[in-house]
Amino acid sequence: MIVVLFKKRCVMVEQKEEKEYSYDVVREGSDIILKVNYERVSEPPSIEDDSACMSRVINMLLEAGRVTKIVFQQKRDFEYDFEQVKVIQEIAVLYNKLVKNHELMGFLLSVPDEFKKDAAPMQAVLQKVVYSLMRRDPVGAYVEVRRQKREHLFAYENKQYNPRSKGLLEQFLKILDFLVDEFDATSLIKLAQPYILGYKPGDRSVYKRIFRPSIKPDFMFTKLMSAYPEDGAVLDNYSLGGSDVTIFEIPDNVNYLYHMVPPEFKLTEDKYELLDEARAIMSEHKPTRSEFVNPELMREVFYNVGHDLIEEIANRRGLKLRLKEIDELAQILVRYTVGFGMIELLLEDEKIQDISINSPMGNAPMFIVHADFGDCKTNIIPTPYDGESWATKLRMISGRPLDEANPILDTELELPSARARIAVVGPPLNPNGVAYSWRRHRIKPWTLPLFVKQKMITALGAGLLSFLVDGARTMLVAGTRSAGKTSLLGSLMVELMRRTRIITIEDTLELPNDALKKMGYNIQSLKVGAALSRGTSEVSADEGIRTTLRLGDSALIVGEVRSKEAGALYEAMRVGALANVVAGTIHGDSPYGVFDRVVNDLGVPRTSFKATDIVVVANPIRSPDGLHRWRRVTQITEVRKFWEEDPLREGGFADLMKYEAETDSLRESDFLINGESEILKGIAGNVREWAGNWDAVWDNISLRAKIKERLVVASDEAKDPNLLEAEFVVASNDQFHKICERVREEVGALDSERIYFEWESWLKTAVTKKKFL
């Protein structure tokens, strides 16, 4: 709700040229905003750069009273937040106090006639400080008062004055002391104190350290702190399309600053006006629920319409734009009409893992989790308009409610360059408005070689998981939040052969189903109701899982085990045992933590938990200083079957591999090396060449590890990261299986050396072909 408190015309004379500035004082929620119309002013508004602008603002504050924000409206909005407004408002209050101080400003009138000649220069100093300097350059006014005090005190102490005017000088020194004390009490002088030494009148550099507006063009709501931090040390910088990203380390702050300058903040004023007009025209069309069913098609339609509209407006305005410029403006227009604004630019950054937006919006920046720098603050400030716009679009895309009866919305979003899972929390659960958490997912599926490259898992660990997937085991991928559970589960799907039918069950679509379908996988995805959602027609998760049992022989992949669907999942595990992989993710920081959650929290019987063959634990590993963290697979653990009450106490868990902090890697256990694994023996028992031959099993696991590692090396050698992407990894896996079958038929056994030789020959040929494509 926006309430206009009052409007005012502020007329000033500057250098004999009369200019008119108007302003409104409006209330938006808890904010009282001074909105200054700068449309008719040629120069950009800037309290920090322009002394005349600072003077106008102080005059407006004297009339308007207390405000919490100042917004200059030109082609772009320049906003000064509460902390900055408080600084300048104190100066306005002090100015008003001094002007109304009759003893101070009437100093000359109170002096006897015989001393008026001596008092006149003193009165001139007071008038210069208060009337001339204080509104335009309050730091300069303070410096002038200090200088006058120093000079007059020197004269007093050295008796360089007319003895008859001693009392007058003492009185003037008391006034100067009073002024110094008043200025010292203001936030402006406290903040400026480190930079006052050597200050020259008219120098605005000190104000640039204190006043930094956030800026947003008219066509968008999101604000941006575009200025670089004065004392920030650059840690990294890179480009994302048309966006420039710089990571800063800020003194006395453990949070790094993720500073982004997007293409829309680098446009000319003509292009800003063009975009603003185009947005106003396109905003008349409100997309319906049916249009949001296919967001990709809707974006394409809006892009084409926007492209034509921008070209038409440019021609009408006489602007000559190249096709590339029109394309860029059309992309920006789509982003701020049917899209999600600067969120989309953040999601384009593959190094961003999470985006957090807290309520109430408008004052606090977005926060991110960066792959290289961990938790970072950004220079991007979303507004309440952003929050409401996103919520409306997500309601339509998901078909799920977000209201007082349903204050939680859990959904997913697919954009041209990224996928994300979004959690929205609104009133009454969140009394301050709407808050968001965006979890970024890669458009391309993760693969085990990619994780080897990033040191999340060792090559041997990847080989072991590949062997377990081919062995059709039941697996739970466990870990804390942001541990990479879903990404790791997706990489295990890539290890499934393309001839295997796969059924996925998710409440929010995070698994790489569409990408794998395009690679020829036989996948059926099912979407079920979220555990926290009410009032929807979606099928429950447990019913969805039971439905899969009637869909034929398939590998079953469950996005996340959260609630009562756990019972149905274990039913599927028991039914699917020794037929196909059944796998899912679950929260838990250890195998026993998974047992505790499944049995004690979710109510699955102890005996049913034994249907779990393998627990893979992924957890973030932190640096000693707490500033950095890395994702690592910390355990691959077998669940043994001969225990009754407590698997931890009765030896029900046997680590196959475990994370070793000293080497920052997974290490194989003696239990694995010595061939004591019941699960691996069970897999071997179903393969004629491996039955009773542990050396052959270990040889095959090692072969798979060697292949994963060779892919990483080949990618580095060829400087081609695409060799680690799913498309090439799937082709590699296909060749591995074909070569294994051919070698077994030719020599009667799985000769690892020959298999690797033939596979490596294929790899060299495939890499060479890619170079010349």
Side-chain angles (χ1 to χ4, degrees):
M1 182 177 181
I2 300 174
V3 180
V4 179
L5 301 180
F6 65 83
K7 296 186 177 184
K8 188 73 176 179
R9 308 295 275 179
C10 182
V11 181
M12 327 204 102
V13 176
E14 296 285 340
Q15 298 176 352
K16 299 183 180 179
E17 178 186 356
E18 189 178 55
K19 292 183 180 180
E20 188 175 65
Y21 303 88
S22 63
Y23 68 86
D24 298 338
V25 178
V26 301
R27 183 182 293 277
E28 295 181 7
S30 60
D31 284 318
I32 302 173
I33 305 174
L34 177 70
K35 292 190 173 182
V36 186
N37 185 355
Y38 246 62
E39 290 291 344
R40 296 172 57 189
V41 185
S42 57
E43 70 272 7
S46 176
I47 292 174
E48 61 274 20
D49 285 320
D50 186 355
S51 60
C53 180
M54 176 178 275
S55 179
R56 292 185 197 107
V57 167
I58 289 177
N59 282 342
M60 294 173 186
L61 290 173
L62 289 170
E63 293 178 341
R66 179 184 174 275
V67 301
T68 59
K69 289 182 182 177
I70 298 173
V71 178
F72 291 93
Q73 297 176 310
Q74 208 178 49
K75 296 294 182 294
R76 287 167 282 183
D77 282 1
F78 298 76
E79 179 179 306
Y80 295 87
D81 62 20
F82 174 73
E83 293 301 322
Q84 298 175 86
V85 170
K86 186 171 69 172
V87 170
I88 197 168
Q89 197 145 35
E90 286 181 3
I91 298 300
V93 170
L94 178 57
Y95 171 81
N96 193 43
K97 177 180 178 180
L98 296 181
V99 167
K100 292 182 178 180
N101 188 320
H102 299 297
E103 181 182 353
L104 179 70
M105 303 314 295
F107 173 68
L108 186 62
L109 299 175
S110 64
V111 173
D113 290 342
E114 63 267 26
F115 296 122
K116 286 191 184 298
K117 184 177 180 181
D118 294 330
M122 300 178 185
Q123 182 70 56
V125 168
L126 297 179
Q127 290 180 334
K128 175 185 178 183
V129 167
V130 177
Y131 288 123
S132 178
L133 284 178
M134 193 165 175
R135 288 172 299 172
R136 302 169 64 90
D137 183 8
V139 174
Y142 173 71
V143 170
E144 177 65 18
V145 171
R146 293 288 298 266
R147 186 179 70 80
Q148 291 289 336
K149 176 183 174 182
R150 188 168 57 251
E151 291 177 0
H152 284 80
L153 186 59
F154 179 83
Y156 181 79
E157 291 175 345
N158 291 278
K159 299 182 179 181
Q160 296 176 359
Y161 55 87
N162 187 336
R164 291 192 313 152
S165 60
K166 179 181 179 183
L168 177 66
L169 184 56
E170 289 175 344
Q171 184 181 354
F172 186 60
L173 284 170
K174 286 181 181 178
I175 290 174
L176 294 176
D177 282 338
F178 166 75
L179 289 175
V180 169
D181 290 343
E182 290 293 321
F183 273 108
D184 280 339
T186 64
S187 299
L188 176 64
I189 299 304
K190 290 175 182 175
L191 293 169
Q193 204 63 247
Y195 317 109
I196 285 179
L197 185 64
Y199 179 85
K200 296 178 181 178
D203 180 12
R204 305 296 296 182
S205 62
V206 65
Y207 299 112
K208 293 178 184 179
R209 296 176 178 270
I210 297 169
F211 297 103
R212 290 191 181 124
S214 58
I215 304 172
K216 72 175 183 67
D218 282 352
F219 60 83
M220 61 186 288
F221 296 125
T222 310
K223 299 174 292 185
L224 194 85
M225 299 294 293
S226 57
Y228 289 134
E230 289 273 342
D231 303 323
V234 176
L235 300 178
D236 192 11
N237 57 72
Y238 51 91
S239 295
L240 295 168
S243 301
D244 299 326
V245 174
T246 309
I247 312 293
F248 289 96
E249 182 178 18
I250 309 300
D252 304 322
N253 196 323
V254 295
N255 264 349
Y256 296 129
L257 173 65
Y258 180 96
H259 187 284
M260 172 180 276
V261 180
E264 45 265 47
F265 279 80
K266 297 183 266 184
L267 302 176
T268 63
E269 295 298 326
D270 288 337
K271 289 181 179 178
Y272 280 129
E273 291 182 5
L274 193 157
L275 272 176
D276 194 39
E277 182 178 346
R279 185 195 61 82
I281 294 171
M282 291 188 70
S283 63
E284 294 177 6
H285 174 72
K286 306 295 183 186
T288 62
R289 166 79 180 96
S290 60
E291 289 176 295
F292 270 107
V293 168
N294 190 339
E296 186 177 351
L297 177 61
M298 182 183 65
R299 290 178 75 99
E300 185 178 346
V301 170
F302 268 72
Y303 172 81
N304 292 331
V305 172
H307 193 281
D308 294 341
L309 181 61
I310 287 169
E311 189 172 13
E312 179 186 332
I313 296 173
N315 291 335
R316 175 160 46 81
R317 289 173 173 250
L319 291 176
K320 293 183 179 180
L321 298 178
R322 292 172 297 173
L323 182 61
K324 183 179 179 181
E325 292 177 293
I326 297 175
D327 291 342
E328 180 187 34
L329 293 176
Q331 292 287 0
I332 294 172
L333 187 60
V334 169
R335 199 151 57 231
Y336 292 100
T337 49
V338 295
F340 288 81
M342 287 196 66
I343 284 285
E344 295 190 11
L345 297 177
L346 289 174
L347 291 174
E348 283 182 12
D349 189 345
E350 293 187 356
K351 295 185 178 182
I352 288 181
Q353 298 167 352
D354 291 278
I355 304 170
S356 301
I357 303 171
N358 301 320
S359 62
M361 292 188 191
N363 298 318
M366 297 183 189
F367 293 85
I368 64 159
V369 177
H370 194 276
D372 298 335
F373 298 98
D375 297 291
C376 299
K377 181 173 70 174
T378 74
N379 64 323
I380 303 165
I381 304 173
T383 66
Y385 297 102
D386 286 315
E388 291 303 322
S389 172
W390 298 336
T392 300
K393 291 168 184 173
L394 291 173
R395 285 189 198 101
M396 288 194 284
I397 290 172
S398 66
R400 292 175 175 174
L402 179 64
D403 48 36
E404 288 191 3
N406 302 273
I408 302 168
L409 173 60
D410 210 359
T411 188
E412 65 285 332
L413 177 68
E414 185 155 345
L415 299 169
S417 56
R419 296 167 54 241
R421 174 179 172 179
I422 306 132
V424 192
V425 183
L429 182 60
N430 177 12
N432 296 318
V434 183
Y436 291 83
S437 179
W438 306 69
R439 170 71 57 80
R440 185 188 183 281
H441 296 293
R442 299 177 90 239
I443 285 289
K444 298 177 180 179
W446 281 97
T447 66
L448 289 177
L450 269 172
F451 283 133
V452 172
K453 170 77 173 176
Q454 296 199 355
K455 298 184 178 180
M456 181 170 175
I457 192 170
T458 60
L460 183 61
L464 176 60
L465 291 181
S466 174
F467 185 86
L468 290 166
V469 169
D470 276 350
R473 296 296 97 184
T474 61
M475 290 187 278
L476 287 177
V477 180
T480 57
R481 189 177 182 276
S482 299
K485 301 184 297 296
T486 303
S487 300
L488 185 56
L489 182 62
S491 73
L492 298 182
M493 292 173 65
V494 172
E495 292 300 306
L496 286 164
M497 283 193 279
R498 279 191 269 197
R499 66 185 183 184
T500 303
R501 190 187 187 205
I502 304 170
I503 297 177
T504 64
I505 297 277
E506 300 175 89
D507 55 6
T508 55
L509 302 179
E510 299 179 87
L511 294 169
N513 297 335
D514 290 341
L516 293 179
K517 281 180 183 178
K518 291 175 182 177
M519 296 176 207
Y521 274 83
N522 179 7
I523 294 183
Q524 174 61 57
S525 58
L526 302 181
K527 189 171 186 291
V528 295
L532 296 174
S533 293
R534 299 189 299 274
T536 71
S537 58
E538 293 173 305
V539 173
S540 65
D542 58 326
E543 188 177 342
I545 291 174
R546 289 192 175 94
T547 299
T548 66
L549 301 180
R550 296 191 289 272
L551 295 180
D553 182 22
S554 307
L556 175 61
I557 309 295
V558 181
E560 184 167 345
V561 183
R562 302 176 191 270
S563 187
K564 59 183 180 180
E565 71 271 14
L569 174 64
Y570 275 89
E571 182 181 337
M573 282 183 172
R574 293 194 300 275
V575 171
L578 301 180
N580 256 315
V581 170
V582 178
T585 68
I586 189 168
H587 283 278
D589 61 356
S590 66
Y592 186 78
V594 173
F595 166 78
D596 189 39
R597 174 140 175 76
V598 168
V599 173
N600 297 324
D601 295 345
L602 304 181
V604 173
R606 283 178 168 78
T607 53
S608 295
F609 181 76
K610 293 179 183 179
T612 310
D613 291 327
I614 299 292
V615 176
V616 182
V617 181
N619 278 320
I621 302 299
R622 292 188 176 272
S623 60
D625 56 18
L627 296 176
H628 305 280
R629 61 183 177 186
W630 304 273
R631 291 174 173 175
R632 297 289 186 267
V633 172
T634 55
Q635 280 177 274
I636 301 175
T637 301
E638 174 179 322
V639 180
R640 310 192 82 181
K641 312 307 177 187
F642 302 103
W643 53 272
E644 297 298 331
E645 296 294 328
D646 189 322
L648 188 64
R649 189 173 58 246
E650 299 173 48
F653 296 125
D655 289 329
L656 302 177
M657 300 189 76
K658 192 165 184 178
Y659 178 78
E660 186 179 78
E662 291 80 3
T663 59
D664 186 30
S665 65
L666 275 176
R667 302 293 293 181
E668 59 273 24
S669 67
D670 292 340
F671 179 82
L672 172 62
I673 294 172
N674 295 333
E676 299 174 12
S677 166
E678 296 171 2
I679 300 300
L680 296 178
K681 288 177 182 177
I683 295 173
N686 293 320
V687 179
R688 180 168 55 85
E689 289 82 1
W690 293 340
N693 186 351
W694 169 247
D695 288 339
V697 172
W698 179 252
D699 194 44
N700 191 266
I701 293 171
S702 300
L703 172 62
R704 292 168 187 261
K706 190 176 179 181
I707 287 174
K708 305 299 183 192
E709 191 166 34
R710 181 70 184 94
L711 279 175
V712 175
V713 173
S715 173
D716 291 340
E717 290 174 346
K719 296 181 181 178
D720 186 358
N722 288 320
L723 298 183
L724 305 182
E725 296 293 351
E727 188 172 3
F728 195 83
V729 171
V730 168
S732 168
N733 291 344
D734 284 352
Q735 288 300 318
F736 170 73
H737 289 296
K738 286 181 178 180
I739 292 168
C740 285
E741 184 177 14
R742 185 168 62 247
V743 169
R744 183 175 58 81
E745 289 176 353
E746 290 177 2
V747 302
L750 294 174
D751 185 334
S752 294
E753 289 187 9
R754 182 168 173 181
I755 292 170
Y756 182 77
F757 175 79
E758 291 193 20
W759 175 86
E760 191 172 36
S761 297
W762 167 84
L763 175 65
K764 291 175 181 177
T765 303
V767 171
T768 302
K769 283 183 178 179
K770 279 179 65 65
K771 285 182 180 180
F772 291 100
L773 287 179

